[in-house]
Amino acid sequence: MRRFLPAEQAPLRKRLARSLGLAIVAALFAAPMAIAWGVGNAEVTDYLGPHQTIFSANYSGEIKLNLGPFGNAYLRDNYAPIGVEIKVGGVGKSSGNGAGFFSEQTLAAYSGLFTDPQETVRGVAERLLEDAALEAMKAEMVLLTAFALWTHRRRFLREPVARRTGLGRTTVTYFVVASVCIGSILAPPERSQDVRIEVAVAEGTPLEGVTVDSVLLSDLLDRGIKGLTLLAERQQKAMKAYIEGATDEFIRQQLQVVPAGPDETQMLGFSDLHCNIAMTEIIRRLAAIVEPSMIISSGDDTVNGTAAERGCVTREATIARNIPFVVAGGNHDSDITEAQMKRAGMRVLSGAVIDVNGVKVLGDDDPELNKPFSIERTMQRPETEEQLGKRMLTQATGKDVDVLLIHQPLASVVIATAPNPPAKLIMWGHYHAQDGPHVIVHDDGSWTVAMQDGTAGGVKQPTITSFSTPFSAPRTSADVYLFTRHVPTGLITGVQPIHFMPNGDVVIDPRITTGDVSALPPETRMKLGDTAPPASPSPLAPR
């Protein structure tokens, strides 16, 4: 093989350095145009309330809400000159006068957006930014390809033409085009000649400053905003009353909660919170009182998995404060939800064992996904619930898994019925009804605790598949669980359910003992990593 001599390497290095330098310069010059293109062409499809909606970024400097036959609503964008057009689908199909659009059910679905619009905007903005970045990358590649063709223009252009497209003329042309494009973006948009009607009833609400271009829409918004305002005030008042009453009742019974003993920690677990704001705040207060070592959720933390539910996720993340929060997504949690969870600091399981402060946790999101505001389900991936269970069983075998989180019972039963299940705690939800804890004793005397959680949001079927009730008190028992874990062995020694009832009562069940570590054979304790001598039996252990 021929080797390059030092004298031959120097020109090669120079050519490579020059090519790299040109590529970097070209990328920097192309970046402003690419970014401008990406921002102006970003588009995502999501939901506002129960309506599928297309969000398109532009440079109008305002937010335009296209409500089809009813007209358009306009609101000045704080990020001008960037604007957004929001095209709401399915409006006006069921009722020509808009009565269906502002029905009691639809108002209930929109109340969360009206009360906390900032989180809705942030959720959609995050998706638009992601799409803008993708579009900008595409534009950058096109511009760099054009630059590469320009550098080799003499290979396919005639010499006179190639000379006319030299560096000087090309640079001037680029700057002229860039200046025109950026100038058109920064220039004040041409004022629309359409009639703009101010919606006076919006003053003092999150929609203050909104204008519309039709009398019909003005009338509909007057009625709709009044309804939303009254509904939001009523929901907020009832929600706050429930939170304070249930918190006081829990504190009154606080001594019934069995604390962790020596060599023990407690994990706070729940499932199917479904965005319930009242219960999110109560669980946050509960966590601050009992100080668990970890928060675990087996999914369905949201209602529809839309970008607009960002506030639901960020509020839920505050439950953990400075402790780990681990979640396995359910059939109501989309990829959008999981991305929001990760940004909020949660640990989202994706099929691999993770180490969380010495606790090995395994799980994955649900293969099924509910379409927003529908009972219809689609498949996120070609896998049945049973196949998910088998995959988790294979993944857990031989890895000393402490906690295994999945959402649906059809997957959990595959793991729980296997000989000597390879996890110390298996937790799931989905049915909104507690079943367990079930203790599965292994051949060596150790055990697995299998637990189907109730609904932490107190959600009563079948309303959850149609409309969110984020501001309501629980409609059925809202359940959370304290799992006591013996640290040296990792075994779950007790489970204590706590139930928050719709009327504000709190029921703290007696701690359910699931096993006595001191009764384990010495060789089993050694195998599990406990090198301490057997302790005297716990007073809570069965005699």
Side-chain angles (χ1 to χ4, degrees):
M1 181 181 293
R2 182 177 182 274
R3 296 179 180 272
F4 284 106
L5 298 175
E8 296 174 300
Q9 289 178 343
L12 177 61
R13 286 197 297 266
K14 287 182 179 180
R15 287 197 300 272
L16 289 175
R18 182 176 180 274
S19 299
L20 180 60
L22 284 173
I24 292 174
V25 170
L28 291 175
F29 273 96
M33 295 282 284
I35 292 171
W37 171 271
V39 172
N41 289 272
E43 181 177 290
V44 297
T45 300
D46 209 279
Y47 282 79
L48 275 179
H51 296 94
Q52 191 172 45
T53 304
I54 298 173
F55 299 86
S56 304
N58 54 44
Y59 293 109
S60 65
E62 64 182 0
I63 298 172
K64 177 183 176 181
L65 182 63
N66 184 336
L67 293 171
F70 300 138
N72 302 300
Y74 303 88
L75 193 63
R76 185 66 183 171
D77 194 344
N78 293 331
Y79 298 96
I82 298 173
V84 178
E85 180 173 1
I86 305 170
K87 188 174 182 180
V88 182
V91 178
K93 292 183 178 179
S94 60
S95 175
N97 61 7
F101 184 62
F102 290 112
S103 67
E104 183 177 355
Q105 282 187 317
T106 304
L107 288 174
Y110 273 102
S111 62
L113 310 182
F114 180 78
T115 306
D116 193 9
Q118 291 82 7
E119 288 294 341
T120 301
V121 170
R122 291 191 188 104
V124 174
E126 285 174 351
R127 293 202 62 203
L128 280 173
L129 283 172
E130 290 172 358
D131 193 67
L134 180 61
E135 291 296 323
M137 289 176 62
K138 292 178 183 177
E140 183 86 356
M141 294 303 298
V142 170
L143 291 172
L144 289 178
T145 301
F147 173 77
L149 292 173
W150 174 81
T151 59
H152 295 85
R153 65 193 181 282
R154 296 184 185 277
R155 296 186 179 183
F156 49 85
L157 293 177
R158 293 180 179 180
E159 186 60 27
V161 178
R163 282 199 305 269
R164 293 192 191 100
T165 56
L167 179 61
R169 288 184 177 181
T170 302
T171 302
V172 170
T173 302
Y174 174 82
F175 276 110
V176 169
V177 173
S179 298
V180 170
C181 292
I182 295 174
S184 64
I185 291 171
L186 297 177
E190 184 179 347
R191 186 66 180 173
S192 172
Q193 300 302 312
D194 296 334
V195 176
R196 297 285 182 93
I197 305 170
E198 292 187 4
V199 182
V201 74
E203 293 182 7
T205 75
L207 296 178
E208 184 172 359
V210 68
T211 59
V212 298
D213 59 10
S214 80
V215 176
L216 172 61
L217 184 56
S218 175
D219 179 60
L220 289 174
L221 283 178
D222 278 343
R223 286 188 283 145
I225 291 174
K226 287 177 182 177
L228 282 170
T229 302
L230 291 173
L231 181 61
E233 289 176 352
R234 185 168 67 244
Q235 287 179 330
Q236 290 281 347
K237 183 178 179 181
M239 180 183 66
K240 290 177 180 177
Y242 183 85
I243 291 171
E244 297 304 325
T247 301
D248 291 343
E249 182 64 17
F250 174 78
I251 291 174
R252 188 181 67 81
Q253 302 182 50
Q254 182 181 345
L255 293 178
Q256 296 183 40
V257 176
V258 180
D263 293 330
E264 290 180 336
T265 59
Q266 287 182 319
M267 297 181 291
L268 178 60
F270 55 84
S271 185
D272 297 84
L273 181 59
H274 286 297
C275 279
N276 188 284
I277 294 176
M279 282 309 304
T280 300
E281 174 60 19
I282 288 172
I283 297 171
R284 186 191 68 79
R285 297 182 182 188
L286 171 64
I289 293 171
V290 301
E291 298 183 336
S293 61
M294 185 188 305
I295 309 293
I296 52 177
S297 167
S298 58
D300 273 9
D301 296 86
T302 66
V303 180
N304 297 295
T306 62
E309 292 172 287
R310 180 184 186 276
C312 156
V313 174
T314 55
R315 278 188 296 268
E316 185 181 10
T318 65
I319 292 173
R321 296 186 300 168
N322 296 320
I323 61 176
F325 192 140
V326 186
V327 59
N331 58 291
H332 284 266
D333 304 320
S334 66
D335 290 341
I336 296 170
T337 304
E338 293 184 0
Q340 291 172 337
M341 288 175 169
K342 291 174 184 176
R343 282 192 288 265
M346 299 184 190
R347 302 286 299 272
V348 181
L349 298 171
S350 57
V353 178
I354 64 172
D355 188 292
V356 184
N357 293 350
V359 180
K360 293 182 180 179
V361 187
L362 172 65
D364 206 345
D365 59 7
D366 200 83
E368 296 182 349
L369 179 66
N370 271 59
K371 291 185 176 181
F373 300 93
S374 170
I375 61 173
E376 184 181 351
R377 293 184 190 173
T378 59
M379 300 303 295
Q380 296 198 82
R381 56 182 180 269
E383 182 179 50
T384 66
E385 297 294 337
E386 291 83 358
Q387 288 170 338
L388 168 62
K390 291 177 181 177
R391 178 162 59 86
M392 291 296 96
L393 186 63
T394 301
Q395 280 286 88
T397 300
K399 296 180 181 175
D400 193 27
V401 171
D402 294 297
V403 179
L404 201 159
L405 301 176
I406 43 179
H407 183 65
Q408 293 207 38
L410 288 176
S412 67
V413 71
V414 175
I415 307 163
T417 56
N420 301 316
K424 300 178 180 72
L425 171 64
I426 307 168
M427 194 182 86
W428 67 95
H430 187 63
Y431 280 168
H432 296 192
Q434 178 181 321
D435 185 6
H438 301 284
V439 179
I440 305 162
V441 179
H442 294 200
D443 295 338
D444 61 2
S446 63
W447 61 87
T448 292
V449 173
M451 183 75 188
Q452 176 177 292
D453 292 355
T455 164
V459 178
K460 190 175 182 179
Q461 299 284 21
T463 56
I464 195 59
T465 55
S466 299
F467 290 94
S468 169
T469 56
F471 295 97
S472 66
R475 295 181 177 178
T476 187
S477 174
D479 309 321
V480 296
Y481 305 88
L482 288 172
F483 296 92
T484 301
R485 178 176 180 269
H486 182 249
V487 176
T489 62
L491 294 170
I492 303 299
T493 56
V495 180
Q496 187 163 26
I498 302 173
H499 313 282
F500 295 87
M501 310 307 292
N503 62 359
D505 288 345
V506 178
V507 178
I508 302 176
D509 289 350
R511 180 180 184 269
I512 303 168
T513 300
T514 53
D516 182 6
V517 173
S518 65
L520 284 173
E523 59 272 18
T524 299
R525 294 187 64 164
M526 291 289 290
K527 183 179 71 173
L528 294 173
D530 185 7
T531 57
S536 57
S538 165
L540 293 172
R543 300 182 182 277

